[in-house]
Amino acid sequence: MYQKSWKNAIDYGEVPPGRIELSSRAMPIQLLDRLEAWKTRFGSRDTVPLERLLAAAATWRSRDAASLIRLHETVLFLRAWPPTPEAARLADAILFSFARRIAELLEDELSAFAEPEVSGIAGTSLSAVFSYEVARSLADRHPRNVEVAWDCYDNPDRLGPLLARLLPLIGEEWLVEAHVPYREWISAARGRGTTDLAWLLARTQVESFDALQVPLTWEIADARISRSRLRLPKRSLFCHTEPLLRRNDVSLAGELESPPLVVKRVPRGQARKILDLILDTSAVRYRELYGFSHPDEARVFHADAGRGVDIYFFGVPPQWRLPLRAYHAGMFFKNGVPAGYIELLSLFERAETGFNLYYTFREGETAWLYVRLLRLFHQVLGVSCFSVDPYQIGLENPEAVDSGAFWFYRKLGFRPVDPAVATLTAREERRMRQTPGYRSSKRTLEKLAADCVVFEARSAEKGAWDRFRIRGVALGASLGFDDQARSTASQRIARMLGIESSSGLALVMSRIPDLESWTQEEKAAAAGILRAKESASEARYLRLMQRHRRLRAALLALGSAG
């Protein structure tokens, strides 16, 4: 465990004791090679060589972006998966010095730090188009560091109609001239004490701001929100004195039947800080997740997954919910370092999952992390059939194809639902058994990603969801839909179930052919599900759905018809 004084320094983004001084000598490439080799040497009894490497790396300079990026990503991995407390301390000393290291680079080296795989390092900046919700959050919390990126704005004329309403005299230029200096107009209108971005956000709503496609520049500087410095306060450190867990060391089926994780609700004041940290973590990587932009602040939960992993997860409040599926998202931290996120879209016992372990940590117990996350949501939501979208395994996703994502899921026990893909999978597995070292070609991996893959717990009905598509339910219920149809659907639901609702779920229920023949108990339970969809927790909504066999059968039929 860390010394208390040093722990507190890390919690608040300060430089730990022993601030390092950079040498005038350049970093030898061999040092980086040796340092990277330690990512696969866990279990060594002698970690002194690693600690000496880190101590040496702390003082060496680097004049090129590629070497600095390698150093940063390697050291950040070792900070999240440290073999000893001393290795973690030395890693933080290096990471906390990165703003100074970046400042020494030539201007033409800085563009390398804007790549999505490495963005967010201390001392750098990034430019991106963010949604209204994310832009507003960043502008409110980082007002000095986030501004309109005028030099990156390829379509500033989008501002014309908006500014014509706000600044009528701009018509002298906007209507007749090219290259209108919109920046000058906004600067003159806003005056002092605010920014161009803040002025725009105060005068637009979600749709109008998003339509502008305004790029923002975020100066990360040496702020706590950088990937180099961001840490979740944590009382203890999990050190990896044994080899890291590999895929062969975990069983998804066994994990789903393991003891439950300890889950606690996060107090609201702390929850707001966690949600801000999560949004920043995602934004510095150019990523937006629906749940991160629209979180249910009142219901944020924490689970201790073990091995230094903390999971924070939540749903979305009623006004932001999907019409049918329940939505949940979460981020997981390894020894306080943000390591990745998960997103679930659930209906009855089926959950569509999206999982991302950040690039830096792809060598760090990926399979174990994934099965622990599924164990958690099996526990809290009752879901027992997990589906992975084709995009996640390679459909129009070259990165997933290159990484062999299909086989990651397949070797955990997922199976393809498409018969042709199942046949191709069997052929490839046969070739792997017959030819050691055989690997599927890129073309084959693209074919394997043609449809989703699923994993069913022992309690799940095998194959029940293979042909189901949520779009089939939504499109089927929307045929001939207009205001009159909505009114008719609401009237039928009110007559049959005794509840007033014009929601999407009510519309779908109104299309169930034999609804009138349901028992009073079945109708009352369906009404309870409608209420739960708009109440505090979508976990309860799912639990109620899982008990209603007749509603499940009806929606399965609607979603599997075509």
Side-chain angles (χ1 to χ4, degrees):
M1 187 178 295
Y2 296 135
Q3 302 252 338
K4 183 177 180 182
S5 60
W6 189 72
K7 170 188 173 296
N8 289 342
I10 296 304
D11 287 354
Y12 292 98
E14 300 163 5
V15 177
R19 176 184 170 96
I20 60 177
E21 296 299 329
L22 299 180
S23 165
S24 60
R25 295 173 294 175
M27 179 180 297
I29 200 71
Q30 295 89 345
L31 185 147
L32 282 173
D33 293 338
R34 290 161 58 199
L35 201 55
E36 281 187 336
W38 275 92
K39 293 166 68 174
T40 59
R41 288 184 58 187
F42 287 90
S44 172
R45 293 184 178 181
D46 184 10
T47 58
V48 172
L50 169 63
E51 291 163 6
R52 287 176 177 168
L53 278 173
L54 288 168
T59 63
W60 289 88
R61 272 186 163 88
S62 179
R63 299 294 188 184
D64 68 284
S67 296
L68 265 186
I69 289 169
R70 281 185 67 193
L71 175 65
H72 185 277
E73 301 309 289
T74 301
V75 172
L76 187 58
F77 177 91
L78 292 170
R79 171 56 181 82
W81 270 266
T84 66
E86 179 64 8
R89 187 191 71 79
L90 289 166
D92 265 329
I94 294 171
L95 293 165
F96 277 57
S97 71
F98 249 80
R100 287 187 293 142
R101 294 173 185 270
I102 299 296
E104 295 182 345
L105 292 178
L106 297 175
E107 186 73 23
D108 60 1
E109 292 278 348
L110 297 180
S111 61
F113 294 90
E115 294 299 318
E117 296 87 349
V118 299
S119 61
I121 292 175
T124 67
S125 64
L126 60 91
S127 296
V129 175
F130 291 110
S131 69
Y132 175 83
E133 290 88 358
V134 173
R136 184 179 61 185
S137 179
L138 296 178
D140 287 346
R141 295 180 295 107
H142 311 296
R144 296 182 179 180
N145 298 83
V146 182
E147 181 56 297
V148 175
W150 291 105
D151 56 337
C152 300
Y153 202 174
D154 294 331
N155 298 294
D157 286 336
R158 292 174 186 261
L159 289 165
L162 170 69
L163 296 186
R165 294 196 301 271
L166 301 173
L167 308 170
L169 290 178
I170 198 174
E172 282 294 324
E173 292 190 276
W174 173 59
L175 294 174
V176 294
E177 295 185 19
H179 310 297
V180 177
Y182 296 104
R183 183 177 189 174
E184 292 182 29
W185 280 92
I186 291 177
S187 180
R190 67 172 171 80
R192 296 182 178 180
T194 188
T195 63
D196 296 345
L197 176 59
W199 187 89
L200 276 174
L201 288 168
R203 288 157 180 81
T204 53
Q205 298 299 318
V206 176
E207 294 82 3
S208 56
F209 181 85
D210 289 348
L212 296 175
Q213 291 290 289
V214 178
L216 309 182
T217 289
W218 189 359
E219 296 291 341
I220 304 298
D222 202 19
R224 183 190 176 192
I225 52 85
S226 71
R227 288 200 302 118
S228 314
R229 303 181 65 127
L230 199 152
R231 305 286 184 273
L232 189 73
K234 193 166 178 62
R235 294 182 178 277
S236 61
L237 185 75
F238 184 90
C239 291
H240 290 269
T241 56
E242 302 293 333
L244 300 187
L245 295 176
R246 299 170 299 173
R247 179 188 49 76
N248 293 338
D249 298 321
V250 302
S251 163
L252 179 50
E255 188 66 43
L256 294 180
E257 297 179 357
S258 65
L261 282 69
V262 176
V263 176
K264 296 181 179 180
R265 191 163 170 174
V266 180
R268 190 153 186 167
Q270 183 185 352
R272 183 65 264 167
K273 294 178 182 178
I274 291 292
L275 293 173
D276 289 343
L277 183 152
I278 287 174
L279 186 141
D280 287 346
T281 295
S282 188
V284 298
R285 293 169 169 85
Y286 301 102
R287 294 179 183 271
E288 290 192 37
L289 218 60
Y290 184 73
F292 295 173
S293 303
H294 306 89
D296 186 354
E297 184 178 336
R299 291 171 183 80
V300 177
F301 297 89
H302 168 261
D304 183 345
R307 300 180 70 81
V309 175
D310 295 277
I311 306 168
Y312 287 88
F313 63 96
F314 40 88
V316 294
Q319 67 271 27
W320 293 111
R321 288 180 185 163
L322 307 183
L324 303 178
R325 291 172 292 179
Y327 181 97
H328 294 86
M331 182 168 283
F332 48 96
F333 300 77
K334 176 68 173 177
N335 282 318
V337 178
Y341 61 83
I342 190 167
E343 182 179 47
L344 288 93
L345 305 172
S346 309
L347 192 70
F348 296 97
E349 77 275 18
R350 177 181 185 260
E352 301 165 52
T353 64
F355 165 75
N356 185 28
L357 181 66
Y358 292 134
Y359 299 103
T360 310
F361 311 115
R362 296 285 167 91
E363 296 161 285
E365 303 186 313
T366 308
W368 178 83
L369 282 165
Y370 185 59
V371 301
R372 287 299 275 173
L373 287 162
L374 297 195
R375 173 65 185 96
L376 170 65
F377 289 105
H378 174 62
Q379 170 185 328
V380 298
L381 303 180
V383 290
S384 56
C385 175
F386 298 95
S387 173
V388 179
D389 183 84
Y391 176 81
Q392 291 273 317
I393 56 177
L395 182 65
E396 299 180 357
N397 184 350
E399 180 194 340
V401 170
D402 292 342
S403 68
F406 173 88
W407 291 113
F408 169 79
Y409 292 101
R410 175 60 180 159
K411 291 175 181 179
L412 284 174
F414 282 77
R415 62 173 180 82
V417 300
D418 182 273
V421 175
T423 300
L424 179 58
T425 301
R427 187 200 76 181
E428 289 296 288
E429 289 176 333
R430 194 162 52 248
R431 289 179 174 177
M432 289 175 181
R433 290 192 297 270
Q434 295 170 349
T435 309
Y438 173 82
R439 298 175 66 89
S440 300
S441 68
K442 180 178 179 180
R443 179 64 184 141
T444 298
L445 289 169
E446 290 171 345
K447 291 180 179 179
L448 291 170
D451 205 343
C452 62
V453 294
V454 299
F455 182 93
E456 293 138 328
R458 291 189 178 97
S459 60
E461 180 185 351
K462 307 304 179 186
W465 295 92
D466 282 8
R467 296 177 58 204
F468 179 84
R469 299 292 183 271
I470 191 66
R471 185 177 295 127
V473 178
L475 286 175
S478 300
L479 291 175
F481 182 76
D482 55 21
D483 289 342
Q484 181 60 43
R486 180 185 290 273
S487 176
T488 302
S490 298
Q491 291 170 15
R492 185 169 190 242
I493 289 298
R495 186 176 71 254
M496 297 292 175
L497 305 184
I499 181 174
E500 298 275 346
S501 177
S502 58
S503 68
L505 179 60
L507 175 62
V508 170
M509 286 187 180
S510 74
R511 299 296 179 97
I512 297 175
D514 64 344
L515 183 62
E516 194 166 356
S517 66
W518 286 14
T519 67
Q520 286 303 118
E521 284 186 359
E522 289 169 337
K523 291 178 180 178
I529 290 170
L530 278 171
R531 294 188 189 94
K533 180 62 172 168
E534 299 175 7
S535 64
S537 169
E538 284 197 295
R540 180 172 178 270
Y541 164 69
L542 285 174
R543 295 286 188 177
L544 292 175
M545 289 191 110
Q546 290 157 13
R547 299 174 196 163
H548 205 302
R549 293 180 178 273
R550 202 158 183 179
L551 179 61
R552 176 181 178 274
L555 264 66
L556 262 175
L558 287 171
S560 305

